[in-house]
Amino acid sequence: MGDINGDVWDLDHDDVTTERMILERTQQKLKREFTNAGYRAGLDASKATTMQEGFDQGLTHSIPHGQTAGTVLGALVARRTVCQRLGTVCPPQVDALIMRLRALKHTQALSETATDNVPTTESFKALVEEANAVLHTMSE
């Protein structure tokens, strides 16, 4: 380990090589740990930003849809109740429209593409137009 004079700090070639290998491994391990920590921190920051943006977008779109659906549904239910109390006949599609509007979920009303039994924004708009048309005929 040392020279013949007994100097413990005098490393021979094998000791220097071993120390370099240990140093390189330690550096590689630290580099991986810092890279992983940086990746995780960036991922967390990105998630927070992206989720907030998605929430803001969804809220902006859902409020008008929810108000529209609620207004039309309320008008249909009110007109049906008036028909029942007056003993007049309501158009047959009123009950079906009420059921379809009540079955809507916000995610369904905002979908851009159709999937299994999930209407798109366009079909939501068509449902609202259909309900408004029935309401218009009932008010004449």
Side-chain angles (χ1 to χ4, degrees):
M1 247 193 331
D3 67 0
I4 40 179
N5 296 328
D7 187 358
V8 293
W9 299 112
D10 185 22
L11 301 175
D12 62 19
H13 178 71
D14 289 340
D15 291 337
V16 170
T17 303
T18 303
E19 289 293 323
R20 282 188 184 142
M21 287 179 12
I22 292 172
L23 178 63
E24 286 176 14
R25 286 184 195 155
T26 303
Q27 286 176 335
Q28 289 172 355
K29 180 181 175 189
L30 287 173
K31 184 178 178 181
R32 276 193 311 272
E33 288 176 3
F34 280 112
T35 299
N36 288 340
Y39 173 78
R40 278 189 237 111
L43 190 60
D44 288 344
S46 173
K47 280 182 187 178
T49 302
T50 304
M51 287 189 325
Q52 185 62 49
E53 288 172 4
F55 175 82
D56 293 344
Q57 261 185 339
L59 186 63
T60 301
H61 286 75
S62 67
I63 288 175
H65 279 76
Q67 288 174 331
T68 300
T71 300
V72 172
L73 178 61
L76 284 170
V77 170
R79 297 274 170 88
R80 182 181 68 182
T81 302
V82 168
C83 287
Q84 290 170 344
R85 294 206 179 171
L86 294 176
T88 59
V89 178
C90 270
Q93 63 267 42
V94 170
D95 286 330
L97 286 168
I98 290 171
M99 286 176 28
R100 286 170 54 201
L101 283 165
R102 284 183 174 160
L104 279 179
K105 305 283 186 263
H106 288 289
T107 55
Q108 294 172 332
L110 297 174
S111 295
E112 294 298 323
T113 56
T115 57
D116 297 331
N117 299 321
V118 177
T120 63
T121 302
E122 293 305 314
S123 62
F124 171 76
K125 289 177 184 176
L127 175 60
V128 170
E129 287 175 15
E130 182 183 348
N132 280 327
V134 169
L135 286 168
H136 181 70
T137 62
M138 291 176 75
S139 63
E140 293 177 342

